[in-house]
């Protein structure tokens, strides 16, 4: 079920229908476009979309698929089915061309593997174009759409005689024309012409008596007459008779051919329905290719899971301008069925809403949809929308009454298989009452189990979405510093309307804006402020995450290189040890051999002194030569010199982990364990693994020159929750701004922030100079710089803390 009956116009599907008509070649295809309807039958939608996807693949693979002569011949077939009627030569010519297109389509699918295009191939098998009728038409009509001379023996005889008579009369007239030219009756550039179907000679009016014949016509000025000479009068009559005979024979042939066609009319009507479908599918595939549409996974459940979805009409329009549409990522599921979208005006809320409606509608009309691969489409039986102003003078309905009438239908008919879309929910009446009624309606819609997207500015609806299962907040992202829309939907948090900021940018006096804030109340102002700061913080942290990711990748690369180097060193060490062992083994073998030889020689010489002395000298030289140690240069030790300190380890003592260079400060003692701080890390270590070191040792090892102190009497959790690293002091006077800045800096230093943003605006640069000069007086400030140009430039100061 669809509501209202103007849903196509409100979503823009009527414009998409016109684009499809323009993409069709014939009235056959345009007839199918007119029949497009939203379907609540899952199987039918799946079939229609799959057919379009198959045709898109046909066009993308680039094979020869017919792209012309999609001619609607169904009126001819209707007339041919009547006994005694005949089709004209032109009609048979159209029949021949279009039947050839049908046969090429059928041949294409017949030559494909069955699994390539299962739906279209199966449908093509049900279409039959009998070869007998196409052969009969080909035999009679040539490729130029003319009757062949061989269509019948009688026609061949008539045309042969006609050509002979025309050649004879032409010869006579050429002779007469040359005589007239030589006699000066006509100029040299004059040639034979035809009047009333008879060949004549153009002759000057003053010489018309010099040539006997019949005057058929004269020029508009009367200076030229067109004469049929008497000598060719009979021949022209003979040609005219032959032409009549030819016409009668052609009519007889066409009558016979129509009689042959008549029995095949039912099959041919089905074939032309197939041709119309091919034209229609080509148009859908062509539009799908233009908008880069896909066939997402289609599931018979109610949900939305779209990635990079684009508004179809906006995509095609931007494509012509060379621009790109900001894509939409959206999910609606059981526990988050209804999305409450908030954000400033002109931020893209309505476009996002219509994108959801139009894409779901066009998919259930059998079209492919513009979104990225990996998306999934759910199935809805009902689509209800409330978009635009429906006030009516005839029915005495105001804008708000119209919205309430729509809401009555929604509440009555919405169920779990319904998708509803509401733009500017609750507007049109007093805001307090409108917000309350809108909240009550939303509660009932949530209970119905329906799925939907709602655009609103009401804070009470944002709060309701945050605490109610089935609802989820969403925001159209907005650049809070430049006050420009980003047109990206972010699900999970509400958006700010940026009303005060936009009013300030437009130039509304500050006194008026401040008075408006006072009238609104601190709770609402703080809520909007918090939303704005969250948006800024998200943007900054997103960029920091990118930087962190780059650093992590570099660290991973360095770790990989280190691991590889370590592995190579270990392998080289093993090789060196193995080489050393092998050399030692060889050396030991040689030594044993030498000793055995020495003993043998001593025994053989019966221990003669001189011989024994010589043998011993040889053995000593072997030892000196092969076992001499290499000199190794002693490198100075890089280990730190630690000064141990006597006494027991207590809280506040400086200690070193025995066997390591790590030094730290004892934070607390728990039995035999001590909690120590090493840099920014805390660790629990056994006391017997620690040794006490001097104050100087600790300072040399860590570089810390003074002890950190812990503030007492301050609720750090509360301060951390309420603190924002982004301070906006635009519009404040100098003394007031510096007071706020001092408090901001105290909290930042206490909470350990290392980077802050101070938004002071550009203006004449007075406030900027005042802020920076004041910040230079803080010993904790390491440096200051302008923000990136895209995020405020010189209007924002980035403060780096030590």
């Amino acid at each position: 079920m669809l509501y209202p009956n103007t849903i196509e116009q409100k979503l823009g599907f009527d414009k998409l229908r016109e684009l499809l008509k323009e993409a069709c070649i014939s009235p056959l295809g345009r007839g199918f476009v007119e029949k497009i309807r939203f379907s609540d039958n899952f199987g039918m939608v799946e079939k229609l979309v799959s057919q379009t996807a198959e045709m898109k693949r046909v066009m993308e693979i680039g094979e020869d698929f017919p792209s012309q002569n999609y001619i609607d011949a169904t009126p001819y077939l209707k007339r041919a089915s009547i006994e005694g009627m005949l089709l004209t030569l032109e009609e048979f010519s159209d029949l021949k061309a279009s039947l050839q297109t049908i046969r090429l389509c059928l041949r294409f699918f017949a030559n494909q593997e069955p699994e390539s295009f299962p739906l279209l191939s199966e449908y093509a098998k049900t279409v039959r174009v009998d070869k007998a009728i196409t052969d009969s038409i080909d035999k009679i009509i040539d490729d130029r759409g003319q009757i062949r001379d061989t269509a019948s023996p009688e026609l061949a005889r008539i045309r042969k005689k006609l050509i002979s008579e025309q050649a004879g009369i032409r010869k006579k007239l050429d002779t007469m024309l040359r005589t007239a030219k030589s006699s000066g009756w006509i100029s040299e550039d004059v040639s034979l012409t035809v009047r009333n179907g008879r060949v004549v000679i153009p002759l000057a009016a003053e010489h018309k008596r010099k040539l006997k014949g019949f005057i058929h016509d004269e020029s508009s000025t009367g200076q030229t007459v067109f004469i049929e000479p008497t000598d060719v009068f009979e021949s022209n009559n003979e040609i005219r008779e032959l032409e009549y005979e030819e016409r009668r024979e052609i009519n007889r042939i066409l009558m016979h051919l129509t009689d042959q066609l008549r029995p095949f009319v039912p099959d041919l009507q089905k074939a032309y329905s197939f041709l119309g479908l091919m034209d229609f599918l080509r148009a859908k595939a062509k539009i799908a290719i233009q908008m880069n549409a896909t066939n997402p996974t289609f599931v018979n459940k109610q949900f939305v899971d779209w990635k990079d979805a684009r508004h179809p009409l906006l995509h095609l329009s931007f494509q012509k301008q060379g621009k790109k549409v900001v894509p939409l990522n959206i999910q609606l599921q059981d526990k988050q069925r209804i999305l409450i979208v908030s954000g400033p005006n002109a931020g893209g809320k309505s476009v996002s809403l219509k994108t959801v409606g139009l894409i779901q509608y066009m998919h259930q009309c059998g079209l492919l949809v513009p979104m990225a691969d990996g998306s999934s489409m759910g199935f809805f039986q009902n689509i209800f929308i409330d978009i635009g102003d429906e006030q009516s003078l005839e029915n005495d309905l105001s804008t708000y009454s119209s919205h309430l009438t729509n809401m009555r239908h929604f509440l009555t008919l919405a169920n779990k298989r319904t998708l509803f879309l509401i733009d500017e929910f609750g507007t049109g009446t007093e805001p307090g009452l409108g917000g309350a009624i809108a909240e009550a309606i939303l509660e009932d819609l949530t209970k119905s189990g329906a799925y939907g997207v709602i655009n609103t500015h009401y804070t009470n609806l944002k709060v309701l979405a945050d605490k109610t299962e089935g609802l989820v907040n969403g925001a159209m992202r907005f650049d809070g510093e430049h006050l420009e829309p980003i047109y990206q939907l972010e699900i999970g948090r509400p958006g700010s309307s940026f009303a005060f900021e936009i009013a300030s940018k437009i130039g509304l006096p500050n006194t008026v804006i401040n008075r408006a804030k006072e009238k609104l109340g601190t709770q609402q102002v703080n809520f909007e402020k918090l939303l704005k700061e969250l948006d800024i913080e998200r943007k900054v942290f997103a960029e920091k995450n990118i930087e962190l990711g780059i650093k992590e990748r570099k660290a991973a690369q360095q770790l990989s290189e280190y691991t590889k180097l370590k592995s190579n060193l270990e392998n080289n060490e093993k090789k060196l040890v193995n080489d050393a062992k092998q050399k030692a083994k060889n050396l030991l073998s040689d030594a044993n051999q030498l000793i055995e030889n020495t003993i043998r020689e001593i025994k053989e010489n019966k221990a003669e002194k001189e011989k024994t002395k010589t043998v011993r000298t040889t053995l000593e030289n072997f030892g000196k030569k092969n076992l001499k140690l290499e000199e190794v240069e002693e490198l100075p030790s890089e280990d730190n010199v630690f000064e141990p300190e006597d006494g027991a380890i207590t809280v506040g003592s400086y200690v070193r982990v025995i066997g390591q260079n790590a030094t730290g400060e004892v934070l607390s003692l728990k039995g035999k364990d001590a909690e120590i701080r090493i840099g920014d890390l805390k660790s629990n270590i056994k006391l017997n693994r620690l040794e006490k070191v001097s104050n100087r040792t600790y300072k040399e090892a860590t570089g810390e020159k003074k002890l950190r102190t812990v503030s007492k009497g301050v609720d750090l959790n509360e301060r951390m929750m309420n603190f924002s690293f982004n301070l906006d002091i635009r519009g404040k006077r100098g003394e007031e701004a510096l007071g706020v800045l001092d408090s901001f800096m105290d909290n930042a230093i206490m909470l350990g922030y290392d980077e802050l943003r101070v938004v002071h605006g550009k203006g004449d640069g007075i406030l900027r100079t005042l802020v920076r000069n004041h910040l230079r007086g803080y010993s904790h400030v390491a440096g200051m710089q302008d923000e990136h140009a895209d995020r405020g430039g010189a209007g924002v100061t980035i403060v780096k803390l030590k």
Side-chain angles (χ1 to χ4, degrees):
M1 179 180 180
L2 301 174
Y3 180 86
N5 54 12
T6 57
I7 188 171
E8 288 198 2
Q9 291 73 26
K10 286 183 172 293
L11 292 178
F13 188 79
D14 56 331
K15 296 177 182 177
L16 200 58
R17 194 187 290 269
E18 290 302 318
L19 291 176
L20 285 170
K21 286 182 181 179
E22 293 174 8
C24 289
I25 301 173
S26 74
L28 285 169
R30 289 190 282 274
F32 274 92
V33 174
E34 287 289 351
K35 296 175 185 176
I36 291 178
R37 294 293 181 272
F38 174 86
S39 175
D40 59 2
N41 183 307
F42 179 81
M44 177 61 70
V45 174
E46 189 173 37
K47 178 182 177 182
L48 294 176
V49 173
S50 297
Q51 283 181 345
T52 308
E54 287 184 13
M55 182 56 74
K56 180 170 177 273
R57 291 202 304 274
V58 168
M59 297 182 68
E60 285 176 338
I61 60 178
E63 293 193 22
D64 296 330
F65 192 82
S67 59
Q68 57 184 1
N69 291 329
Y70 286 78
I71 302 170
D72 183 8
T74 51
Y76 312 153
L77 296 177
K78 192 176 294 184
R79 199 164 69 255
S81 64
I82 303 172
E83 193 73 32
M85 297 295 291
L86 68 84
L87 300 184
T88 65
L89 178 60
E90 291 77 12
E91 291 170 344
F92 268 115
S93 179
D94 287 347
L95 264 173
K96 177 178 179 177
S98 53
L99 285 174
Q100 177 66 16
T101 301
I102 293 173
R103 293 182 66 184
L104 288 174
C105 291
L106 297 176
R107 188 182 305 163
F108 173 86
F109 292 116
N111 293 336
Q112 303 297 319
E113 294 295 330
E115 63 274 9
S116 299
F117 310 103
L119 291 175
L120 297 182
S121 296
E122 191 64 28
Y123 186 38
K125 290 177 182 178
T126 66
V127 177
R128 184 169 177 266
V129 178
D130 200 296
K131 192 173 183 295
I133 188 60
T134 55
D135 288 347
S136 296
I137 296 175
D138 288 341
K139 183 179 178 182
I140 300 301
I141 300 172
D142 62 18
D143 293 336
R144 295 176 292 110
Q146 301 298 318
I147 299 290
R148 298 181 189 274
D149 293 345
T150 57
S152 74
E154 179 63 14
L155 183 63
R157 182 193 68 76
I158 292 171
R159 285 183 173 177
K160 184 176 179 181
K161 187 174 180 181
L162 186 60
I163 291 171
S164 175
E165 288 293 335
Q166 287 173 340
I169 197 174
R170 185 69 183 232
K171 187 175 181 182
K172 289 180 182 179
L173 287 172
D174 283 342
T175 302
M176 294 178 184
L177 188 64
R178 284 195 298 271
T179 301
K181 286 181 179 180
S182 62
S183 301
W185 301 342
I186 53 177
S187 59
E188 289 295 328
D189 58 346
V190 173
S191 60
L192 298 175
T193 187
V194 176
R195 286 292 186 273
N196 300 322
R198 303 173 81 91
V199 183
V200 295
I201 298 176
L203 197 67
E206 63 266 23
H207 301 299
K208 63 182 178 181
R209 304 289 181 186
K210 297 178 181 178
L211 183 64
K212 293 182 178 181
F214 179 78
I215 298 176
H216 282 274
D217 197 6
E218 66 177 6
S219 64
S220 57
T221 60
Q223 295 181 359
T224 302
V225 294
F226 299 92
I227 298 178
E228 179 186 4
T230 306
D231 293 346
V232 298
F233 192 76
E234 289 300 325
S235 298
N236 267 332
N237 285 341
E238 181 67 21
I239 289 173
R240 180 61 62 89
E241 284 296 326
L242 289 171
E243 288 174 348
Y244 290 153
E245 287 185 35
E246 180 188 31
R247 191 179 306 163
R248 287 193 295 271
E249 180 62 17
I250 287 175
N251 284 342
R252 187 193 67 78
I253 292 170
L254 293 178
M255 178 66 78
H256 179 66
L257 188 57
T258 304
D259 292 339
Q260 288 181 291
L261 176 69
R262 192 167 294 115
F264 300 99
V265 166
D267 286 344
L268 292 179
Q269 285 176 331
K270 188 172 182 180
Y272 277 96
S273 178
F274 170 77
L275 184 65
L277 177 63
M278 293 300 102
D279 187 22
F280 173 55
L281 291 178
R282 285 186 75 261
K284 290 204 291 184
K286 183 178 178 182
I287 295 296
I289 291 172
Q290 288 177 1
M291 64 176 65
N292 195 25
T294 61
N295 181 18
T297 303
F298 189 36
V299 184
N300 192 7
K301 288 177 59 180
Q302 287 67 55
F303 71 95
V304 171
D305 185 8
W306 301 348
K307 298 177 178 64
D308 292 343
R310 304 173 302 282
H311 191 286
L313 298 175
L314 201 59
H315 176 85
L316 294 174
S317 175
F318 276 26
Q319 197 175 56
K320 294 178 182 177
Q321 302 173 39
K323 299 190 295 185
K324 289 187 177 180
V325 176
V326 178
L328 175 72
N329 294 296
I330 182 171
Q331 279 188 329
L332 299 179
Q333 49 193 341
D334 185 44
K335 293 186 178 179
Q336 294 183 345
R337 299 186 306 276
I338 302 176
L339 175 64
I340 310 299
V341 182
S342 49
N345 291 323
K349 297 192 302 296
S350 295
V351 173
S352 297
L353 189 81
K354 290 182 179 180
T355 300
V356 173
L358 181 55
I359 286 181
Q360 188 69 44
Y361 189 90
M362 66 188 288
H363 187 265
Q364 291 191 225
C365 286
L367 278 72
L368 302 184
V369 288
M371 60 181 62
D373 293 332
S375 301
S376 297
M377 290 290 300
F379 175 68
F380 295 92
Q381 287 187 337
N382 309 313
I383 296 182
F384 301 157
I385 67 169
D386 178 32
I387 299 174
D389 184 356
E390 290 290 336
Q391 63 179 333
S392 169
L393 294 176
E394 291 81 3
N395 297 326
D396 196 25
L397 287 179
S398 68
T399 300
Y400 188 61
S401 297
S402 169
H403 287 309
L404 289 183
T405 301
N406 292 339
M407 291 305 101
R408 184 188 67 193
H409 282 85
F410 285 22
L411 294 173
T412 304
L413 302 172
N415 56 34
K416 294 180 180 180
R417 303 177 76 83
T418 299
L419 174 67
F420 67 85
L421 308 170
I422 305 175
D423 195 21
E424 299 298 341
F425 192 30
T427 57
T429 189
E430 195 275 319
L433 297 176
I437 294 175
E439 185 172 339
I441 292 172
L442 181 56
E443 287 173 346
D444 272 20
L445 286 173
T446 305
K447 293 175 184 177
S448 73
Y451 290 69
V453 180
I454 295 175
N455 292 343
T456 187
H457 289 286
Y458 287 142
T459 302
N460 63 315
L461 299 185
K462 303 176 192 178
V463 175
L464 179 67
D466 193 47
K467 63 183 182 182
T468 306
E469 184 174 342
L471 302 180
V472 61
N473 271 308
M476 298 306 300
R477 292 191 58 200
F478 195 78
D479 187 338
E481 300 209 6
H482 297 88
L483 299 180
E484 295 175 350
I486 302 177
Y487 304 114
Q488 288 181 347
L489 174 64
E490 182 180 359
I491 297 177
R493 69 174 185 86
S496 169
S497 297
F498 288 88
F500 292 132
E501 289 78 10
I502 294 173
S504 178
K505 181 180 180 181
I506 291 173
L508 212 62
N510 287 335
T511 54
V512 174
I513 295 174
N514 291 333
R515 198 160 63 248
K517 289 180 180 180
E518 292 172 3
K519 292 179 180 294
L520 185 60
T522 57
Q523 183 178 359
Q524 179 67 27
V525 172
N526 290 339
F527 183 76
E528 293 290 328
K529 180 183 177 183
L530 178 62
L531 289 176
K532 176 187 173 184
E533 290 185 350
L534 283 174
D535 191 66
I536 295 173
E537 290 183 14
R538 181 189 179 283
K539 191 174 181 181
V540 172
F541 282 123
E543 293 178 358
K544 288 187 177 294
N545 284 338
I546 294 174
E547 295 176 2
L548 184 60
I550 294 172
K551 291 179 181 178
E552 286 180 350
R553 285 194 293 273
K554 288 182 178 179
Q557 182 181 359
Q558 291 174 351
L559 179 61
S560 175
E561 292 174 354
Y562 165 77
T563 305
K564 185 177 179 181
L565 180 61
K566 181 174 179 291
S567 177
N568 289 336
L569 289 174
E570 289 175 351
N571 289 334
N572 290 336
E573 182 182 1
K574 290 177 182 178
K575 289 180 182 178
L576 291 173
V577 171
N578 290 337
D579 289 344
K581 288 180 178 179
Q582 185 61 43
K583 289 180 179 179
K585 186 177 180 182
N586 295 336
L587 184 62
L588 185 60
S589 176
D590 292 342
N592 288 336
Q593 185 66 39
L594 181 61
I595 292 170
E596 288 177 2
N597 292 338
T598 301
I599 294 171
R600 188 177 61 253
E601 288 184 17
I602 291 174
K603 287 181 178 179
E604 289 175 353
N605 293 295
K606 297 179 179 179
E608 292 181 5
K609 289 185 177 180
E610 289 298 325
K611 189 63 177 176
T612 301
K613 186 177 181 181
T614 302
V615 171
R616 285 178 175 173
T617 303
T618 303
L619 186 61
E620 290 174 359
N621 289 337
F622 175 82
K624 291 178 180 180
K625 178 181 179 183
N626 293 288
L627 301 177
K628 183 179 179 181
L629 297 176
E630 298 291 338
E631 293 185 3
V632 179
E633 182 181 355
E634 290 291 337
L635 297 176
S637 174
E638 295 183 358
D639 294 340
N640 293 327
V641 177
F642 293 96
E643 296 180 0
E645 191 173 275
D646 296 331
I649 296 175
T650 60
V651 175
S653 297
Y654 299 118
V655 294
R656 177 175 78 95
V657 181
I658 297 173
Q660 299 182 19
N661 294 331
T663 60
E665 178 187 0
V666 177
L667 300 177
S668 65
L669 295 174
K670 298 176 183 178
K672 297 182 179 180
D673 294 337
E675 182 185 17
I676 68 171
R677 178 179 61 81
I678 303 174
D680 291 329
L681 300 176
K682 293 181 181 179
S683 179
N684 290 322
I685 301 177
K686 296 289 184 184
L687 279 171
N688 57 11
R689 293 186 55 202
L690 301 175
E691 65 174 334
K692 192 174 182 181
V693 296
S694 65
N695 202 358
R696 188 170 72 88
T697 299
Y698 176 77
K699 289 180 180 179
E700 289 178 355
T702 62
E704 293 187 10
K705 296 184 179 179
K706 62 180 181 180
L707 298 177
R708 298 188 179 182
T709 59
V710 179
S711 299
K712 296 182 180 179
V714 177
D715 190 342
L716 291 180
N717 290 331
E718 182 181 354
R719 291 207 177 189
M720 187 173 294
M721 287 176 61
N722 296 326
F723 183 77
S724 170
F725 76 101
N726 185 81
L727 176 66
D728 190 345
I729 55 174
R730 287 176 293 184
K732 297 184 183 297
R733 296 184 177 276
E735 185 176 347
E736 180 188 4
L738 293 183
V740 174
L741 182 61
D742 284 336
S743 176
F744 175 69
M745 289 296 295
D746 290 344
N747 288 330
I749 294 169
M750 180 183 298
L751 296 173
Y753 275 73
D754 59 354
E755 184 175 301
L756 307 170
R757 295 175 86 254
V758 180
V759 183
H760 41 63
K762 296 179 182 178
D764 297 327
I766 297 173
L767 186 57
R768 171 177 174 270
T769 304
L770 187 65
V771 166
R772 295 196 175 183
N773 288 338
H774 188 70
L775 288 174
R776 288 190 182 96
Y778 279 87
S779 60
H780 297 82
V781 175
M784 291 172 284
Q785 64 185 46
D786 288 347
E787 175 62 284
H788 189 277
D790 292 341
R791 299 188 296 276
V796 179
T797 294
I798 301 297
V799 184
K800 303 280 187 180
L801 299 182
K802 296 178 181 177

